[in-house]
mmCIF file of all heavy atoms in Angstrom:
data_model
loop_
_atom_site.group_PDB
_atom_site.id
_atom_site.type_symbol
_atom_site.label_atom_id
_atom_site.label_comp_id
_atom_site.label_asym_id
_atom_site.label_seq_id
_atom_site.Cartn_x
_atom_site.Cartn_y
_atom_site.Cartn_z
ATOM 1 N N HIS A 489 -3.027 -14.767 8.782
ATOM 2 C CA HIS A 489 -3.207 -15.883 9.769
ATOM 3 C C HIS A 489 -1.858 -16.375 10.232
ATOM 4 O O HIS A 489 -0.739 -15.935 9.684
ATOM 5 C CB HIS A 489 -3.982 -17.026 9.021
ATOM 6 C CG HIS A 489 -5.390 -16.625 8.737
ATOM 7 N ND1 HIS A 489 -5.730 -15.776 7.690
ATOM 8 C CD2 HIS A 489 -6.600 -16.979 9.360
ATOM 9 C CE1 HIS A 489 -7.063 -15.620 7.675
ATOM 10 N NE2 HIS A 489 -7.618 -16.342 8.705
ATOM 11 N N GLU A 490 -1.858 -17.319 11.081
ATOM 12 C CA GLU A 490 -0.634 -17.835 11.701
ATOM 13 C C GLU A 490 -0.269 -19.176 10.990
ATOM 14 O O GLU A 490 -0.190 -20.252 11.622
ATOM 15 C CB GLU A 490 -0.785 -18.031 13.198
ATOM 16 C CG GLU A 490 -1.061 -16.773 13.944
ATOM 17 C CD GLU A 490 0.042 -15.709 13.837
ATOM 18 O OE1 GLU A 490 1.191 -16.182 13.776
ATOM 19 O OE2 GLU A 490 -0.262 -14.555 13.953
ATOM 20 N N GLY A 491 -0.117 -19.096 9.704
ATOM 21 C CA GLY A 491 0.255 -20.311 8.956
ATOM 22 C C GLY A 491 -0.916 -21.008 8.322
ATOM 23 O O GLY A 491 -2.057 -20.614 8.373
ATOM 24 N N LYS A 492 -0.611 -22.122 7.588
ATOM 25 C CA LYS A 492 -1.562 -22.843 6.786
ATOM 26 C C LYS A 492 -2.717 -23.415 7.616
ATOM 27 O O LYS A 492 -3.837 -23.320 7.222
ATOM 28 C CB LYS A 492 -0.888 -23.920 5.979
ATOM 29 C CG LYS A 492 0.023 -23.499 4.879
ATOM 30 C CD LYS A 492 0.684 -24.688 4.208
ATOM 31 C CE LYS A 492 1.560 -24.178 3.057
ATOM 32 N NZ LYS A 492 2.624 -23.335 3.550
ATOM 33 N N SER A 493 -2.363 -24.106 8.739
ATOM 34 C CA SER A 493 -3.400 -24.779 9.598
ATOM 35 C C SER A 493 -4.334 -23.712 10.100
ATOM 36 O O SER A 493 -5.558 -23.991 10.090
ATOM 37 C CB SER A 493 -2.724 -25.494 10.696
ATOM 38 O OG SER A 493 -1.873 -26.541 10.203
ATOM 39 N N ASP A 494 -3.836 -22.590 10.547
ATOM 40 C CA ASP A 494 -4.710 -21.518 11.031
ATOM 41 C C ASP A 494 -5.667 -21.018 9.971
ATOM 42 O O ASP A 494 -6.818 -20.784 10.194
ATOM 43 C CB ASP A 494 -3.876 -20.421 11.617
ATOM 44 C CG ASP A 494 -4.696 -19.294 12.290
ATOM 45 O OD1 ASP A 494 -5.665 -19.674 12.973
ATOM 46 O OD2 ASP A 494 -4.355 -18.117 12.062
ATOM 47 N N LEU A 495 -5.123 -20.802 8.773
ATOM 48 C CA LEU A 495 -5.914 -20.355 7.650
ATOM 49 C C LEU A 495 -7.011 -21.341 7.307
ATOM 50 O O LEU A 495 -8.154 -20.965 7.135
ATOM 51 C CB LEU A 495 -5.013 -20.129 6.437
ATOM 52 C CG LEU A 495 -5.750 -19.736 5.096
ATOM 53 C CD1 LEU A 495 -6.580 -18.480 5.269
ATOM 54 C CD2 LEU A 495 -4.766 -19.614 3.980
ATOM 55 N N LYS A 496 -6.614 -22.606 7.242
ATOM 56 C CA LYS A 496 -7.644 -23.644 6.941
ATOM 57 C C LYS A 496 -8.739 -23.741 7.909
ATOM 58 O O LYS A 496 -9.922 -23.897 7.583
ATOM 59 C CB LYS A 496 -6.898 -25.010 6.762
ATOM 60 C CG LYS A 496 -7.738 -26.082 6.124
ATOM 61 C CD LYS A 496 -6.968 -27.292 5.876
ATOM 62 C CE LYS A 496 -7.844 -28.430 5.150
ATOM 63 N NZ LYS A 496 -6.999 -29.640 4.807
ATOM 64 N N ARG A 497 -8.343 -23.674 9.170
ATOM 65 C CA ARG A 497 -9.382 -23.681 10.281
ATOM 66 C C ARG A 497 -10.261 -22.402 10.229
ATOM 67 O O ARG A 497 -11.458 -22.499 10.559
ATOM 68 C CB ARG A 497 -8.727 -23.701 11.669
ATOM 69 C CG ARG A 497 -8.107 -25.024 11.981
ATOM 70 C CD ARG A 497 -7.782 -25.118 13.454
ATOM 71 N NE ARG A 497 -6.850 -24.078 13.849
ATOM 72 C CZ ARG A 497 -5.514 -24.264 13.864
ATOM 73 N NH1 ARG A 497 -4.945 -25.420 13.441
ATOM 74 N NH2 ARG A 497 -4.693 -23.242 14.197
ATOM 75 N N SER A 498 -9.732 -21.347 9.768
ATOM 76 C CA SER A 498 -10.414 -20.133 9.822
ATOM 77 C C SER A 498 -11.424 -19.882 8.628
ATOM 78 O O SER A 498 -12.411 -19.232 8.798
ATOM 79 C CB SER A 498 -9.392 -18.911 9.696
ATOM 80 O OG SER A 498 -10.031 -17.691 9.546
ATOM 81 N N ILE A 499 -11.149 -20.564 7.563
ATOM 82 C CA ILE A 499 -12.027 -20.358 6.373
ATOM 83 C C ILE A 499 -13.543 -20.620 6.603
ATOM 84 O O ILE A 499 -14.370 -19.777 6.288
ATOM 85 C CB ILE A 499 -11.540 -21.209 5.149
ATOM 86 C CG1 ILE A 499 -10.243 -20.654 4.582
ATOM 87 C CG2 ILE A 499 -12.552 -21.256 4.083
ATOM 88 C CD1 ILE A 499 -9.586 -21.491 3.582
ATOM 89 N N PRO A 500 -13.967 -21.778 7.256
ATOM 90 C CA PRO A 500 -15.387 -21.950 7.492
ATOM 91 C C PRO A 500 -15.957 -20.886 8.411
ATOM 92 O O PRO A 500 -17.067 -20.375 8.137
ATOM 93 C CB PRO A 500 -15.413 -23.350 8.165
ATOM 94 C CG PRO A 500 -14.179 -24.029 7.694
ATOM 95 C CD PRO A 500 -13.175 -23.003 7.596
ATOM 96 N N LYS A 501 -15.209 -20.482 9.370
ATOM 97 C CA LYS A 501 -15.684 -19.460 10.303
ATOM 98 C C LYS A 501 -15.847 -18.155 9.608
ATOM 99 O O LYS A 501 -16.839 -17.385 9.779
ATOM 100 C CB LYS A 501 -14.738 -19.339 11.505
ATOM 101 C CG LYS A 501 -14.599 -20.587 12.364
ATOM 102 C CD LYS A 501 -13.610 -20.374 13.439
ATOM 103 C CE LYS A 501 -13.363 -21.623 14.278
ATOM 104 N NZ LYS A 501 -12.317 -21.494 15.279
ATOM 105 N N LYS A 502 -14.831 -17.763 8.763
ATOM 106 C CA LYS A 502 -14.888 -16.482 8.097
ATOM 107 C C LYS A 502 -16.034 -16.454 7.116
ATOM 108 O O LYS A 502 -16.737 -15.456 7.010
ATOM 109 C CB LYS A 502 -13.566 -16.262 7.387
ATOM 110 C CG LYS A 502 -12.351 -15.962 8.238
ATOM 111 C CD LYS A 502 -12.448 -14.582 8.814
ATOM 112 C CE LYS A 502 -11.033 -14.148 9.361
ATOM 113 N NZ LYS A 502 -10.438 -15.052 10.361
ATOM 114 N N LEU A 503 -16.233 -17.530 6.338
ATOM 115 C CA LEU A 503 -17.318 -17.568 5.386
ATOM 116 C C LEU A 503 -18.704 -17.469 6.050
ATOM 117 O O LEU A 503 -19.611 -16.812 5.469
ATOM 118 C CB LEU A 503 -17.190 -18.840 4.483
ATOM 119 C CG LEU A 503 -15.952 -18.908 3.595
ATOM 120 C CD1 LEU A 503 -16.131 -20.155 2.730
ATOM 121 C CD2 LEU A 503 -15.910 -17.663 2.688
ATOM 122 N N LYS A 504 -18.855 -18.104 7.194
ATOM 123 C CA LYS A 504 -20.082 -17.971 7.881
ATOM 124 C C LYS A 504 -20.358 -16.492 8.375
ATOM 125 O O LYS A 504 -21.465 -15.998 8.362
ATOM 126 C CB LYS A 504 -20.070 -18.940 9.094
ATOM 127 C CG LYS A 504 -20.227 -20.347 8.726
ATOM 128 C CD LYS A 504 -20.143 -21.292 9.915
ATOM 129 C CE LYS A 504 -20.230 -22.751 9.528
ATOM 130 N NZ LYS A 504 -20.095 -23.664 10.665
ATOM 131 N N GLY A 505 -19.214 -15.836 8.723
ATOM 132 C CA GLY A 505 -19.294 -14.408 9.152
ATOM 133 C C GLY A 505 -19.647 -13.566 7.959
ATOM 134 O O GLY A 505 -20.485 -12.630 8.007
ATOM 135 N N PHE A 506 -19.036 -13.868 6.772
ATOM 136 C CA PHE A 506 -19.269 -13.096 5.568
ATOM 137 C C PHE A 506 -20.751 -13.230 5.175
ATOM 138 O O PHE A 506 -21.314 -12.375 4.562
ATOM 139 C CB PHE A 506 -18.448 -13.544 4.437
ATOM 140 C CG PHE A 506 -16.899 -13.386 4.623
ATOM 141 C CD1 PHE A 506 -16.012 -14.096 3.885
ATOM 142 C CD2 PHE A 506 -16.421 -12.551 5.701
ATOM 143 C CE1 PHE A 506 -14.647 -14.012 4.100
ATOM 144 C CE2 PHE A 506 -15.091 -12.460 5.913
ATOM 145 C CZ PHE A 506 -14.221 -13.126 5.067
ATOM 146 N N ALA A 507 -21.409 -14.366 5.449
ATOM 147 C CA ALA A 507 -22.778 -14.590 5.045
ATOM 148 C C ALA A 507 -23.689 -13.644 5.779
ATOM 149 O O ALA A 507 -24.875 -13.403 5.329
ATOM 150 C CB ALA A 507 -23.220 -16.046 5.395
ATOM 151 N N GLN A 508 -23.283 -13.023 6.823
ATOM 152 C CA GLN A 508 -24.057 -12.039 7.608
ATOM 153 C C GLN A 508 -24.024 -10.664 6.982
ATOM 154 O O GLN A 508 -24.786 -9.738 7.339
ATOM 155 C CB GLN A 508 -23.609 -11.994 9.048
ATOM 156 C CG GLN A 508 -23.581 -13.301 9.674
ATOM 157 C CD GLN A 508 -24.922 -14.041 9.719
ATOM 158 O OE1 GLN A 508 -25.970 -13.449 10.047
ATOM 159 N NE2 GLN A 508 -24.899 -15.346 9.352
ATOM 160 N N HIS A 509 -23.095 -10.406 6.018
ATOM 161 C CA HIS A 509 -22.973 -9.123 5.410
ATOM 162 C C HIS A 509 -24.156 -8.850 4.484
ATOM 163 O O HIS A 509 -24.633 -9.762 3.851
ATOM 164 C CB HIS A 509 -21.653 -9.040 4.641
ATOM 165 C CG HIS A 509 -20.458 -9.214 5.403
ATOM 166 N ND1 HIS A 509 -19.175 -9.491 4.878
ATOM 167 C CD2 HIS A 509 -20.208 -9.076 6.765
ATOM 168 C CE1 HIS A 509 -18.268 -9.567 5.840
ATOM 169 N NE2 HIS A 509 -18.877 -9.333 6.954
ATOM 170 N N LYS A 510 -24.541 -7.614 4.408
ATOM 171 C CA LYS A 510 -25.625 -7.238 3.517
ATOM 172 C C LYS A 510 -25.151 -7.199 2.086
ATOM 173 O O LYS A 510 -25.884 -7.568 1.083
ATOM 174 C CB LYS A 510 -26.164 -5.916 3.885
ATOM 175 C CG LYS A 510 -26.895 -5.812 5.254
ATOM 176 C CD LYS A 510 -27.437 -4.453 5.507
ATOM 177 C CE LYS A 510 -28.145 -4.446 6.856
ATOM 178 N NZ LYS A 510 -28.644 -3.044 7.181
ATOM 179 N N GLU A 511 -23.859 -6.881 1.813
ATOM 180 C CA GLU A 511 -23.323 -6.698 0.476
ATOM 181 C C GLU A 511 -22.822 -8.038 0.027
ATOM 182 O O GLU A 511 -22.523 -8.963 0.800
ATOM 183 C CB GLU A 511 -22.228 -5.601 0.521
ATOM 184 C CG GLU A 511 -21.011 -5.986 1.350
ATOM 185 C CD GLU A 511 -21.123 -5.434 2.799
ATOM 186 O OE1 GLU A 511 -22.172 -5.678 3.402
ATOM 187 O OE2 GLU A 511 -20.157 -4.769 3.187
ATOM 188 N N GLN A 512 -22.625 -8.118 -1.233
ATOM 189 C CA GLN A 512 -21.916 -9.276 -1.865
ATOM 190 C C GLN A 512 -20.511 -9.232 -1.420
ATOM 191 O O GLN A 512 -19.793 -8.232 -1.533
ATOM 192 C CB GLN A 512 -22.006 -9.149 -3.391
ATOM 193 C CG GLN A 512 -21.222 -10.334 -4.116
ATOM 194 C CD GLN A 512 -22.057 -11.564 -4.201
ATOM 195 O OE1 GLN A 512 -23.241 -11.585 -4.488
ATOM 196 N NE2 GLN A 512 -21.402 -12.736 -3.868
ATOM 197 N N THR A 513 -20.025 -10.370 -0.976
ATOM 198 C CA THR A 513 -18.617 -10.512 -0.416
ATOM 199 C C THR A 513 -17.890 -11.511 -1.327
ATOM 200 O O THR A 513 -18.327 -12.637 -1.569
ATOM 201 C CB THR A 513 -18.591 -10.944 1.043
ATOM 202 O OG1 THR A 513 -19.314 -9.950 1.818
ATOM 203 C CG2 THR A 513 -17.235 -11.094 1.490
ATOM 204 N N THR A 514 -16.724 -11.113 -1.733
ATOM 205 C CA THR A 514 -15.805 -12.006 -2.410
ATOM 206 C C THR A 514 -14.581 -12.314 -1.628
ATOM 207 O O THR A 514 -13.900 -11.336 -1.131
ATOM 208 C CB THR A 514 -15.348 -11.515 -3.755
ATOM 209 O OG1 THR A 514 -16.463 -11.306 -4.616
ATOM 210 C CG2 THR A 514 -14.397 -12.408 -4.470
ATOM 211 N N GLY A 515 -14.321 -13.557 -1.336
ATOM 212 C CA GLY A 515 -13.123 -13.911 -0.558
ATOM 213 C C GLY A 515 -12.004 -14.378 -1.445
ATOM 214 O O GLY A 515 -12.208 -15.236 -2.337
ATOM 215 N N PHE A 516 -10.882 -13.825 -1.342
ATOM 216 C CA PHE A 516 -9.564 -14.265 -1.983
ATOM 217 C C PHE A 516 -8.794 -15.017 -0.998
ATOM 218 O O PHE A 516 -8.280 -14.489 0.006
ATOM 219 C CB PHE A 516 -8.914 -13.103 -2.500
ATOM 220 C CG PHE A 516 -9.591 -12.293 -3.692
ATOM 221 C CD1 PHE A 516 -10.450 -11.362 -3.335
ATOM 222 C CD2 PHE A 516 -9.377 -12.647 -4.946
ATOM 223 C CE1 PHE A 516 -11.131 -10.661 -4.356
ATOM 224 C CE2 PHE A 516 -10.051 -11.982 -5.986
ATOM 225 C CZ PHE A 516 -10.940 -10.974 -5.654
ATOM 226 N N ILE A 517 -8.593 -16.343 -1.230
ATOM 227 C CA ILE A 517 -7.792 -17.167 -0.337
ATOM 228 C C ILE A 517 -6.445 -17.313 -1.018
ATOM 229 O O ILE A 517 -6.378 -17.886 -2.169
ATOM 230 C CB ILE A 517 -8.461 -18.531 -0.137
ATOM 231 C CG1 ILE A 517 -9.730 -18.321 0.726
ATOM 232 C CG2 ILE A 517 -7.523 -19.403 0.714
ATOM 233 C CD1 ILE A 517 -11.000 -18.057 -0.067
ATOM 234 N N ILE A 518 -5.424 -16.920 -0.375
ATOM 235 C CA ILE A 518 -4.042 -16.971 -0.899
ATOM 236 C C ILE A 518 -3.147 -17.704 0.073
ATOM 237 O O ILE A 518 -2.994 -17.400 1.226
ATOM 238 C CB ILE A 518 -3.457 -15.520 -1.052
ATOM 239 C CG1 ILE A 518 -4.479 -14.692 -1.891
ATOM 240 C CG2 ILE A 518 -2.132 -15.582 -1.764
ATOM 241 C CD1 ILE A 518 -4.273 -13.190 -1.782
ATOM 242 N N GLN A 519 -2.506 -18.772 -0.515
ATOM 243 C CA GLN A 519 -1.653 -19.687 0.299
ATOM 244 C C GLN A 519 -0.460 -20.119 -0.421
ATOM 245 O O GLN A 519 -0.508 -20.313 -1.688
ATOM 246 C CB GLN A 519 -2.533 -20.858 0.750
ATOM 247 C CG GLN A 519 -1.709 -21.862 1.621
ATOM 248 C CD GLN A 519 -2.602 -23.011 2.145
ATOM 249 O OE1 GLN A 519 -3.623 -22.767 2.654
ATOM 250 N NE2 GLN A 519 -2.104 -24.193 2.023
ATOM 251 N N ASP A 520 0.669 -20.303 0.294
ATOM 252 C CA ASP A 520 1.803 -20.824 -0.409
ATOM 253 C C ASP A 520 1.617 -22.274 -0.683
ATOM 254 O O ASP A 520 0.996 -23.080 0.051
ATOM 255 C CB ASP A 520 3.079 -20.690 0.555
ATOM 256 C CG ASP A 520 3.479 -19.296 0.722
ATOM 257 O OD1 ASP A 520 2.979 -18.384 0.033
ATOM 258 O OD2 ASP A 520 4.484 -19.042 1.495
ATOM 259 N N GLN A 521 2.304 -22.749 -1.768
ATOM 260 C CA GLN A 521 2.229 -24.108 -2.174
ATOM 261 C C GLN A 521 3.245 -24.891 -1.295
ATOM 262 O O GLN A 521 2.901 -26.025 -0.863
ATOM 263 C CB GLN A 521 2.702 -24.284 -3.599
ATOM 264 C CG GLN A 521 2.839 -25.742 -4.052
ATOM 265 C CD GLN A 521 3.449 -25.869 -5.386
ATOM 266 O OE1 GLN A 521 3.751 -24.844 -6.049
ATOM 267 N NE2 GLN A 521 3.717 -27.031 -5.823
ATOM 268 N N ASP A 522 4.393 -24.425 -1.026
ATOM 269 C CA ASP A 522 5.460 -25.128 -0.278
ATOM 270 C C ASP A 522 5.763 -26.402 -1.020
ATOM 271 O O ASP A 522 5.959 -26.418 -2.208
ATOM 272 C CB ASP A 522 5.049 -25.324 1.132
ATOM 273 C CG ASP A 522 5.121 -23.990 1.905
ATOM 274 O OD1 ASP A 522 5.943 -23.126 1.599
ATOM 275 O OD2 ASP A 522 4.368 -23.852 2.930
ATOM 276 N N SER A 523 5.684 -27.542 -0.370
ATOM 277 C CA SER A 523 6.029 -28.807 -0.969
ATOM 278 C C SER A 523 4.774 -29.589 -1.432
ATOM 279 O O SER A 523 4.830 -30.746 -1.869
ATOM 280 C CB SER A 523 6.807 -29.724 0.002
ATOM 281 O OG SER A 523 6.126 -29.928 1.195
ATOM 282 N N ASN A 524 3.642 -29.004 -1.361
ATOM 283 C CA ASN A 524 2.317 -29.645 -1.691
ATOM 284 C C ASN A 524 2.196 -29.672 -3.224
ATOM 285 O O ASN A 524 2.811 -28.866 -3.968
ATOM 286 C CB ASN A 524 1.164 -28.897 -1.021
ATOM 287 C CG ASN A 524 1.125 -28.926 0.452
ATOM 288 O OD1 ASN A 524 0.978 -29.937 1.058
ATOM 289 N ND2 ASN A 524 1.518 -27.769 1.023
ATOM 290 N N ASP A 525 1.329 -30.577 -3.671
ATOM 291 C CA ASP A 525 0.926 -30.513 -5.055
ATOM 292 C C ASP A 525 -0.066 -29.380 -5.264
ATOM 293 O O ASP A 525 -1.094 -29.254 -4.599
ATOM 294 C CB ASP A 525 0.161 -31.926 -5.446
ATOM 295 C CG ASP A 525 -0.311 -31.885 -6.849
ATOM 296 O OD1 ASP A 525 -1.471 -31.435 -7.074
ATOM 297 O OD2 ASP A 525 0.463 -32.370 -7.688
ATOM 298 N N CYS A 526 0.262 -28.472 -6.201
ATOM 299 C CA CYS A 526 -0.418 -27.280 -6.392
ATOM 300 C C CYS A 526 -1.885 -27.438 -6.669
ATOM 301 O O CYS A 526 -2.774 -26.817 -6.099
ATOM 302 C CB CYS A 526 0.302 -26.388 -7.475
ATOM 303 S SG CYS A 526 -0.382 -24.772 -7.709
ATOM 304 N N ARG A 527 -2.133 -28.349 -7.699
ATOM 305 C CA ARG A 527 -3.583 -28.529 -8.058
ATOM 306 C C ARG A 527 -4.397 -29.162 -6.956
ATOM 307 O O ARG A 527 -5.549 -28.800 -6.681
ATOM 308 C CB ARG A 527 -3.651 -29.414 -9.336
ATOM 309 C CG ARG A 527 -3.022 -28.789 -10.597
ATOM 310 C CD ARG A 527 -3.211 -29.609 -11.751
ATOM 311 N NE ARG A 527 -2.636 -28.993 -12.967
ATOM 312 C CZ ARG A 527 -2.648 -29.540 -14.220
ATOM 313 N NH1 ARG A 527 -3.160 -30.839 -14.344
ATOM 314 N NH2 ARG A 527 -2.147 -28.934 -15.204
ATOM 315 N N GLN A 528 -3.848 -30.150 -6.260
ATOM 316 C CA GLN A 528 -4.501 -30.804 -5.166
ATOM 317 C C GLN A 528 -4.900 -29.810 -4.049
ATOM 318 O O GLN A 528 -5.929 -29.800 -3.452
ATOM 319 C CB GLN A 528 -3.717 -31.944 -4.622
ATOM 320 C CG GLN A 528 -4.393 -32.772 -3.502
ATOM 321 C CD GLN A 528 -3.556 -33.937 -3.045
ATOM 322 O OE1 GLN A 528 -2.618 -34.328 -3.618
ATOM 323 N NE2 GLN A 528 -3.933 -34.528 -1.959
ATOM 324 N N LEU A 529 -3.854 -29.023 -3.699
ATOM 325 C CA LEU A 529 -4.012 -28.023 -2.649
ATOM 326 C C LEU A 529 -5.089 -27.025 -3.002
ATOM 327 O O LEU A 529 -5.982 -26.739 -2.259
ATOM 328 C CB LEU A 529 -2.653 -27.243 -2.445
ATOM 329 C CG LEU A 529 -2.713 -26.141 -1.388
ATOM 330 C CD1 LEU A 529 -3.138 -26.673 -0.058
ATOM 331 C CD2 LEU A 529 -1.329 -25.463 -1.313
ATOM 332 N N LYS A 530 -5.115 -26.569 -4.327
ATOM 333 C CA LYS A 530 -6.183 -25.653 -4.676
ATOM 334 C C LYS A 530 -7.571 -26.331 -4.660
ATOM 335 O O LYS A 530 -8.506 -25.778 -4.172
ATOM 336 C CB LYS A 530 -5.892 -25.156 -6.139
ATOM 337 C CG LYS A 530 -6.915 -24.106 -6.552
ATOM 338 C CD LYS A 530 -6.516 -23.558 -7.921
ATOM 339 C CE LYS A 530 -7.537 -22.529 -8.372
ATOM 340 N NZ LYS A 530 -7.182 -21.909 -9.701
ATOM 341 N N GLN A 531 -7.659 -27.600 -5.069
ATOM 342 C CA GLN A 531 -8.881 -28.318 -5.039
ATOM 343 C C GLN A 531 -9.466 -28.472 -3.639
ATOM 344 O O GLN A 531 -10.643 -28.335 -3.345
ATOM 345 C CB GLN A 531 -8.737 -29.719 -5.660
ATOM 346 C CG GLN A 531 -8.531 -29.639 -7.212
ATOM 347 C CD GLN A 531 -8.236 -30.971 -7.790
ATOM 348 O OE1 GLN A 531 -8.046 -31.995 -7.118
ATOM 349 N NE2 GLN A 531 -8.069 -31.058 -9.115
#
């Protein structure tokens, strides 16, 4: 993606698309912490 904001906007759209798959889909979301609180960002 093109940075954090793009990734965050993309997640709902991507998950809705994954819901159309016949197979079980696992999404791994990987993001830099930068200056954010790690636990809060993950939550």
